[in-house]
Amino acid sequence: MEKPELRYVFEFIPKLLSSLHTTLLIVAASMALGLAIGVLVALPRLYRVPVLQRLSQLYVSFFRGTPILILLFLIYYGLPELLKLVHIDVTRTPVLVFVILTYALHSAAYISEAVRAAVEAVDRGQTEAAYAIGMTGFQAFVRVVLPQALAVSVPVLANQVIANLKDTSLAFSLGVMEMTGKAQTLVAATRHFIEAYVSLAAIYFVISLILQKLFQIAERRLLKYEGPENAEPSLPFKERRRRRLFGSSAMRLPWKEARADEA
Amino acid sequence: MIELKEVRKSFGKQEVLKGISLKVEKGEVVAVVGPSGSGKTTLLRCINFLEKPTSGEVIVGDLAVAAGRAHRKEVLALRRKTSMVFQQYNLFRHKTALENVMEGLTVVRKLPKAEARERSVRLLEKVGLGAKLDAYPSRLSGGQQQRIGIARALAMEPEAILLDEPTSALDPELVGEVLAVIRNIAKEGITMIIVTHEMSFAQEVASRVVFMDQGTIVEEGPPGELFARPKEERTRLFLSRFAPEGSYSI
Ligand SMILES: Nc1ncnc2c1ncn2[C@@H]1O[C@H](COP(=O)(O)OP(=O)(O)O)[C@@H](O)[C@H]1O
Ligand SMILES: [Mg+2]
C-alpha cells in the first residue's frame, strides 16, 4: 500500500464519476421495475386472493430474508438454468439486466409492504365514494386509492432508493463496472486504497444527500393537497402525515416525550 | 322509480334490515328519519349495493337487481343510475373541487374533458363554489366540502340521489348553506332519498316521510300528517325528542 496523498482523491473522483451513469441506471431501472412489481405483489394480500396471497407473503419473506449478494448470484447463475428448461436462451443477455432484475425483485418486496400499509391507511370512504359514482374496482384503485397511497409512501420509497444506491456497490461482484467496480480497478492500478475509498464514500454520500432533497421536494408536491385540516388545525404537517400512516394512537419518540415533559 | 322489495340485511347474526319494502316515485323527495342504529344508513347503502342485501330486490328505473344473483355489471349499472352524498363528504382528497366533480364524468361516463369541465364548473357555481374550483378539500370548510359532494352527485345526472345525513357532521353555523343547496335541487324535481335529523327541513322539502326503527319501516306518510299526527306510539316517542317544550319558550 502506498502512502496516502490527498491529490489522488481529486484525481480519482472524476474517474469514478465516469461510471456514475451505470450506478444510477441500476438504481433508476430497478426502482421503476420494483415499484411496478411491488404494487402487483401487494394486490393479492390487499384483496385477500386465496392462493396468491400466500405466494405474495412467501415472496416478501424470501426477498427480504436473503442477502442481496446471494440473490445476485442466484439470479445470475440460477435464472438462465431455469429458463433453459423452457428453452429460453439468455446467455447473451448483458449482466446488467440480471443486476437490475435482482435489485428490482429485492426492492419490490419492501415496496409491496409499504404500499400495502399505505393502501390500508387510505380512508374506506374514498373507495366508497368512487364506487358510488360507478367506478369499477380497478378504476377506484388506480384513480383514487393508489395515488394517495403512493404519496404517503414517498418517504419509504426514498429510503429504498438510497438503499439500492448503496447496494449497487455489490454489482461489481458480477463484474459490472459501476462506481465500486471502477474503484477496484483504480486500486489495482495505483495501490492507493484509502484515496479510492474516500473518494467513493464522498460520492455516495453526496448523491444520497441530493436524492433525499429531491424526494423531500417530491413529497411536498405530491402531498400538496394536504392543507390545514379543519378538524385539527394546529397539527404540524409531519404529525398529520404520521397519523395518516400509523393512525392517531400515540407512538411518541422517547426523546420527544422528554422534551414535552420539560415544557 | 326506486323500489325496494322485502330487502333484508344481516351483519353476522344481527339482522339490521328486516324486510324493507319502499316505493319512491319519480320527482319525490323522501325523508327517512329514525333513531340512530335503526338501519337508515344501511338502507341507503343497500340501494346502490355499497352493502349487498342479504335478500330481497332493488329496482331503480328499469333495472331490477335481486340480492341473491347480483351480477357485477348490474351493480355497476345500479350505481350509475344513483348518486350518493355521504355524511363525511368523502371527497377525493387528492383532487381539487373541480376535479372531484369531473372525475366521474371523465372516468365513468367517458365525457370529453372540455365538456366535463364545463358542466362541472356550472354545477360548482350553482352550489356557490365557483370561486373555489382549484381548492383542495382539506382547505375548505365542511359546508363547502359537502356542497362539492352534492355537485359531484348531481354531475352524474342520476335518476335519484341518496343523501345520508348530509348535515350532521357540520358545525351548526354551516348547516344552513348545505340545506339551502338541497332545497334548491329538491325544487328542480330530482328524486331524492334523504336520511336526516333536521325535522323542520324534512317537513319543508319532503313529499313523504318514512320513520324507521329497529330495521323496519314503522310508518310513513306526508310530513304534515306524520309529524302532526303520528299513528304509532314509537313514532310519537321519537318525535317528542325533537319537539321538546323548550322549543316554545324562547
Ligand atoms: N358494516 C357493518 N358491520 C356490522 N354491523 C354494522 C355495519 N354497518 C352497520 N352495522 C350495524 O347495523 C345497525 C344499523 O346501522 P346503521 O344503518 O348505520 O343505522 P343508522 O344509520 O340508522 O344509525 C347498527 O347496529 C350498526 O352497528
Ligand atoms: Mg346513519
Side-chain angles (χ1 to χ4, degrees), chain A residues 125-126 128-136 139 143-144 147-148 224-230, chain B residues 45 76 79-80 82 90-95 103-104 107-108 110 136 138-140 145 152 156:
Chain A
Q126 296 285 306
E128 294 192 340
Y131 286 159
I133 58 174
M135 283 195 199
T136 62
Q139 287 170 332
R143 305 277 319 172
V144 176
Q148 296 184 40
K224 68 177 186 295
Y225 61 84
E226 288 300 331
E229 270 176 68
N230 304 307
Chain B
R45 291 164 60 88
L76 277 181
R79 288 178 182 162
R80 287 170 192 183
T82 56
N90 291 354
L91 294 184
F92 303 128
R93 51 192 303 162
H94 62 309
K95 298 202 175 282
E103 185 71 5
V107 176
V108 178
K110 313 268 190 237
Y136 286 99
S138 62
R139 306 259 174 187
L140 297 169
Q145 291 188 55
R152 177 173 70 179
M156 304 306 288

Side-chain angles (χ1 to χ4, degrees), chain B residues 41 87 164-165:
Chain B
T41 296
Q87 190 172 352
D164 187 13
E165 299 199 35

Side-chain angles (χ1 to χ4, degrees), chain A residues 3-16:
Chain A
K3 189 170 157 293
E5 283 180 68
L6 187 62
R7 70 180 173 89
Y8 277 102
V9 172
F10 294 107
E11 197 178 300
F12 286 166
I13 285 182
K15 286 188 176 152
L16 292 172

